[in-house]
Structure formats: C-alpha cells, structure tokens
Amino acid sequence: FYSRSLRLAYFERGRDLTWQAIRRNPYIPFMLLTGTVTDWKRPGDKEKISEISISCLHTGSGKTGYVATPPWRSVGKCMALAAAATDAFILGMFDRLRYRFWLEFLNLRMGDYLLFERRRNPCVAWCQRRMPSCRRESFFFYEFPVVACGGSAFVLFIVASILSQSDLESRCQSSRHMYVASVYIVLTVFVLSFFGFVPFLEFFVHSPMLRQIHMAMRYYHISETPPSMIYVSDGGVQDCTGVLQLMLRRCGRILLALAAADPEDNLAVLRETMKIAVKSKLGSFYDPKDPRRDVSLLLDEFKRNRSQTYLHIGISYGWDRGEQGSGAAGAEGTAAGGGETSARPEAQRRTFTGPQRTGHLLVVKNRLPPSWEDIELEPPLTEAEIISGASWKEKGEEEEDEEESSEGGSAAHARHASGDSIPEFKSMHSFGLRSGGKRLATAKLGGCCCNCCHVGCCNVGPKFPHVANANQCLTPALFSSLCRLGHRLSQDAIELLCQQDCFEEPWEHCVQ
C-alpha cells in the first residue's frame, strides 16, 4: 500500500520504473536511496544496523560490500523501503523483544527483503529470465527447498490425519510415524535455519516465514558477509539527510533539503550527521566566511536569524593531508532529509580533472521566515503553473488584462471597485477557506485529511510548516503550501549553487 501510494503521488501516471529504465535515461540524475540492514552484523560488531545505498548501478556499502543492482528491481519499492519509518524506529532505535512481538503480531512492518547476491545461482537465473519482468524478484525459486520440506511435512500430516481415523492398528501405527516424521521435518528445518551462514544451508535464509520468526526472536545473521537476502528498512536511523552518501563520493556542491521535525531550529539531525562524518573520518566542517570560528556558531546564528533562507557550510574531505590530496573525483549532488540523494553521473554531466579536496554544503530548512507568516492561503499548484514557471498572481493579472480589453474600461473599473480582483478571488474561493469571516493565513494551517479540517474546531495539531511526521494525510491546501514554501526558500541557495564560476572564498585559494 505504501509503495503504491508513493508511486501514484510521485510517478508519472502512477507507473513504476525499473532501475534499468533509470540507467538508460540520460535526463534522470544519478539517484541514490539509503536504507538500513537490520538483520545482519559482523562478528564482534556492537552496532546492530548497517546503512546501504541503492542506485541503478550498485547496492551496498563499504561494510556490506557492493553488488550489482538487478535491472528489473522496482524503483517504487526501493523508495518505500527507504522511508519505512516503523521498522527503523523499532528495529534500530527501540530494539526490545516486546516491541518486535507487536510489530510482527500487528503486521506493522514496512520494510521488505532484497536480494543481495554476489554469485547468481545459475538455475535460478535461468528460470528468472523466462519470467515477466514484474515477477523477477519473486523469491519462489530461492525458497523452493524450504517450500518442498514444508510441503512434504504438510502432506505427511494430512495423510496421517486420514489414516488415524481407521480402525486398523497397522494404519494407526503408520499415522503415528507420519506425525512424528512431519514434526521432525519442521523442527529440523527450524533448527537448520539458524545456520544459514554455512554455504550449503544458505537457502534457508530465503524463506520470509523463517526470517520473520528470527526477527521476532531478535536473532541476527552473524557472518563476515551479508546473506544473499537482507531485510531493508528506513535509512534514516543513522543518517536521514543523505549527506554521508554524497560525502563518500566527495561531491563538490551539495544541496540539502532538511525537512526534519524541528520547529525550534535546533538542527539536531544535521549536527548528528556532522558528528558521524567526523567520527567516520570522511571529512571536517568549517565556516567559509571565517574558518577560525567553530561551525557550531554558524548553526547557532542560523537559529537566531529566522529570516535566513539557507545555511552555507564548508567541507574539507579526508582526514590527513595525504588523504586529502587523493580520492575520488567530485560531483554535484542533492540530498533530501528523508533518505533520498541524487548526484550527477560523472560520465554524462561533467569531467573532473583532479581530486575533490573541499566541498560546500547548502542547507535549506523547512521553516517559515517572519516576513511570510501573514501570507494568505494561495490556490493549489497546477501543472500549467509548474511548467510555465509563472506564479498564479501573474497568471491572474494576465487573465485580468485580457478581460479588461474584452469587457471595456467601465466594467473593469466597477469590478476593481468591488474588490473582486482575479488574483484575490482565485486565492480564496478556489479553496473556500475562511475562518471567522477572514481569509485564512498559510501559517494557521493544521489538521489533516481534507480542506474542511482547516476551518472550525478541526484545525488542530502543529501548524504549518512544522507538520507532525505522524500526519501522513496532508490536505491539498497543506501539500500545495509546502511545495510553494520549498520553492521560495530554496531559490537563493539554488542560484548560488548553479553559479558557473567557483563560489569559494578568496582565502581558500591560498591554502595548499
């Protein structure tokens, strides 16, 4: 359901795409989705989760290793896994046996299993090539041995039940033996499933039923390399910004859309991401205007100055001088505070002649500047407005001018005198939202489900733009207003980011 909802909301005509289609389209940027593996760890690891990235080329991380992404894998499914918040919080942050029990009992899992094969099984590959592309990620061929064992136990149990109804002693003896055999088969399969790290027993890890039992029992697959099927959930447990993945690739310019629940602008998510980057020795951060100042002062100033639309932070890649002078070539990238990142393919977009030693992080946070708090509710976004780039006010003025020329000056003057100008009329009456006879301000939006919730006693909860994450039913007015706010807030940062010349400070060119 979640995957379908995302597909209908963000994919053209609700049609899903495969990673192969993404890879073949030169106009689509290099997409990176982050996820978390919650059922595997290496021997001796204290951390029970591992972050991975999913792209059209590879899936994995430095800890898990990388495998080629199957071309038939669904992009919509990977997007849903990258935002599987329920599993992420319970399995990654509140890992208790009782929580796991209710997670399985109430079927609240939002994550799913992905194939993570280093070496393809030739028999499975032959069968998959003869299946439709939409069914190629089916685990039937992988779990066929387990299905065969379970099926044989079920057949023995049914036959034993039939024989037990007979009056003949021989049939009763046979039914008893069949009951015992079926129980032994089930117990053997269950016990051997805990030894999936043995190569010839790895097919047991492909049974979702056995893996769910393991998950409910807080069992982790412990081995040097991950199993060929891993459980993936939300990537926001470790880093919900996507910046770490772009820093691993040493991107020169990173735009972060930070939409974490932070009405006080404490930037706790960003601060934690920076701590992880420093702890992992991916790089350090500095104030581009004055590197002598600690970067935390820069974050505090952003909190105090609410009229500031973006935050500019410098990145020094590497950890020592030898490491800073070598590394992967940089690129431009975009990170969204929800687990999704995007970077331009180097071969298609830009050629870099040297290693990327520094980078620049531009942060656009979801907050409402004081000068915008009194803005009245605007009409919903339309496809024509997005394509043309003209605002609804400009469109209204154009239509007004056309009507003035057609109606004549006297009729237009009378309409203006009555106060029914076209932009204002479209602003409110397209929604029909008024509170106490006054036009509703955007900053007063709350509620959920439908537009009628914004008036009367239903306009409750956190107000725009700090909508609670638990509210997954945004109204059309709220969703449209969030889109408009993001467009306006990011304008200055995008203009700076898209400068052709280098926007580094003069002192940076003097550093060897």
Side-chain angles (χ1 to χ4, degrees):
F1 173 78
Y2 190 40
S3 177
R4 177 180 178 274
S5 300
L6 291 177
R7 187 174 68 251
L8 293 177
Y10 296 105
F11 286 66
E12 182 184 8
R13 299 179 181 177
R15 293 180 298 186
D16 199 0
L17 295 175
T18 63
W19 284 111
Q20 186 178 28
I22 297 292
R23 183 176 181 178
R24 290 178 176 177
N25 193 328
Y27 298 100
I28 299 180
F30 186 67
M31 295 178 58
L32 281 172
L33 303 178
T34 57
T36 302
V37 180
T38 58
D39 62 347
W40 168 82
K41 63 179 182 179
R42 294 179 300 188
D45 281 354
K46 296 182 179 180
E47 193 72 28
K48 299 179 181 179
I49 57 178
S50 305
E51 186 177 88
I52 63 170
S53 63
I54 306 173
S55 70
C56 60
L57 299 178
H58 301 94
T59 300
S61 65
K63 180 179 179 180
T64 62
Y66 289 90
V67 299
T69 300
W72 38 261
R73 179 164 291 168
S74 166
V75 179
K77 176 181 178 179
C78 294
M79 287 182 58
L81 294 181
T86 306
D87 292 33
F89 276 100
I90 294 179
L91 301 179
M93 303 178 66
F94 304 102
D95 189 11
R96 298 291 186 274
L97 187 59
R98 61 179 180 272
Y99 295 149
R100 286 179 175 253
F101 169 78
W102 288 111
L103 182 69
E104 296 294 334
F105 182 77
L106 299 177
N107 194 24
L108 297 176
R109 296 186 301 111
M110 299 178 65
D112 202 356
Y113 294 97
L114 290 181
L115 294 178
F116 197 77
E117 293 182 301
R118 287 176 170 78
R119 295 180 300 274
R120 295 297 306 278
N121 188 312
C123 297
V124 173
W126 184 86
C127 296
Q128 282 186 331
R129 284 195 298 268
R130 284 152 180 80
M131 291 187 63
S133 59
C134 61
R135 299 295 302 170
R136 288 181 182 174
E137 202 168 4
S138 173
F139 300 119
F140 173 76
F141 298 108
Y142 295 91
E143 59 179 324
F144 179 77
V146 180
V147 173
C149 294
S152 61
F154 181 74
V155 171
L156 288 175
F157 185 84
I158 296 298
V159 174
S161 299
I162 296 175
L163 294 178
S164 63
Q165 299 176 5
S166 176
D167 296 333
L168 298 177
E169 184 178 356
S170 59
R171 291 193 175 185
C172 291
Q173 291 289 343
S174 300
S175 66
R176 187 181 301 109
H177 294 160
M178 290 183 181
Y179 275 131
V180 174
S182 62
V183 172
Y184 275 139
I185 291 175
V186 173
L187 291 178
T188 302
V189 170
F190 178 71
V191 172
L192 291 180
S193 66
F194 291 94
F195 297 88
F197 54 86
V198 180
F200 63 88
L201 296 177
E202 191 178 7
F203 62 86
F204 283 109
V205 305
H206 287 280
S207 174
M209 181 181 65
L210 293 175
R211 296 294 291 273
Q212 290 182 18
I213 296 175
H214 293 174
M215 187 179 299
M217 298 174 62
R218 297 184 64 193
Y219 171 77
Y220 291 88
H221 184 98
I222 302 177
S223 61
E224 291 293 341
T225 58
S228 53
M229 190 176 75
I230 55 178
Y231 188 82
V232 180
S233 61
D234 193 352
V237 179
Q238 288 186 325
D239 173 31
C240 65
T241 64
V243 172
L244 294 180
Q245 292 292 333
L246 299 179
M247 289 184 63
L248 282 170
R249 293 156 177 82
R250 295 201 172 192
C251 294
R253 303 181 182 186
I254 301 175
L255 176 64
L256 169 61
L258 187 59
D262 184 18
E264 301 298 330
D265 295 338
N266 294 320
L267 302 175
V269 171
L270 180 60
R271 294 175 189 269
E272 183 63 25
T273 300
M274 296 169 65
K275 288 181 181 179
I276 297 176
V278 173
K279 183 179 179 180
S280 304
K281 298 185 178 181
L282 294 177
S284 55
F285 301 88
Y286 60 90
D287 183 355
K289 298 295 184 182
D290 188 354
R292 297 170 298 182
R293 303 173 67 228
D294 189 83
V295 70
S296 60
L297 300 177
L298 193 64
L299 303 182
D300 294 338
E301 289 180 356
F302 181 79
K303 176 181 179 179
R304 291 192 297 268
N305 186 8
R306 294 185 57 199
S307 61
Q308 188 175 347
T309 58
Y310 70 93
L311 178 63
H312 186 186
I313 303 175
I315 304 175
S316 177
Y317 287 115
W319 201 248
D320 53 36
R321 291 187 178 273
E323 186 180 356
Q324 289 176 348
S326 62
E332 288 87 359
T334 304
E340 180 179 348
T341 60
S342 172
R344 293 185 179 183
E346 181 179 352
Q348 298 178 1
R349 305 299 184 188
R350 182 175 175 182
T351 301
F352 294 89
T353 57
Q356 192 72 32
R357 298 177 56 186
T358 60
H360 292 267
L361 173 62
L362 301 181
V363 183
V364 178
K365 188 184 178 301
N366 179 34
R367 65 175 183 176
L368 192 65
S371 58
W372 298 357
E373 292 180 352
D374 297 330
I375 295 180
E376 296 177 353
L377 183 62
E378 299 176 274
L381 282 171
T382 61
E383 183 178 357
E385 182 179 352
I386 296 174
I387 295 177
S388 64
S391 65
W392 63 272
K393 291 185 178 180
E394 296 174 354
K395 285 286 185 180
E397 291 174 356
E398 292 177 0
E399 295 178 9
E400 184 181 6
D401 294 338
E402 293 178 359
E403 292 189 9
E404 284 181 359
S405 60
S406 61
E407 294 176 1
S410 59
H413 178 74
R415 181 163 44 82
H416 276 286
S418 63
D420 292 332
S421 62
I422 287 181
E424 294 178 349
F425 180 84
K426 286 188 174 183
S427 171
M428 295 312 303
H429 291 270
S430 59
F431 275 139
L433 298 180
R434 291 175 177 269
S435 179
K438 299 181 180 179
R439 294 174 177 175
L440 187 65
T442 305
K444 301 298 184 180
L445 291 179
C448 62
C449 296
C450 57
N451 287 332
C452 60
C453 296
H454 297 307
V455 294
C457 59
C458 296
N459 195 39
V460 296
K463 297 300 186 289
F464 179 88
H466 304 293
V467 184
N469 291 336
N471 183 8
Q472 297 292 311
C473 302
L474 301 180
T475 67
L478 194 56
F479 180 80
S480 178
S481 300
L482 287 172
C483 294
R484 294 184 183 277
L485 177 64
H487 179 265
R488 292 166 180 165
L489 284 176
S490 60
Q491 183 176 359
D492 295 337
I494 292 178
E495 289 179 357
L496 178 62
L497 190 73
C498 295
Q499 290 182 1
Q500 296 295 331
D501 54 343
C502 182
F503 60 87
E504 295 180 345
E505 297 296 328
W507 66 266
E508 297 188 59
H509 299 283
C510 303
V511 178
Q512 299 294 330

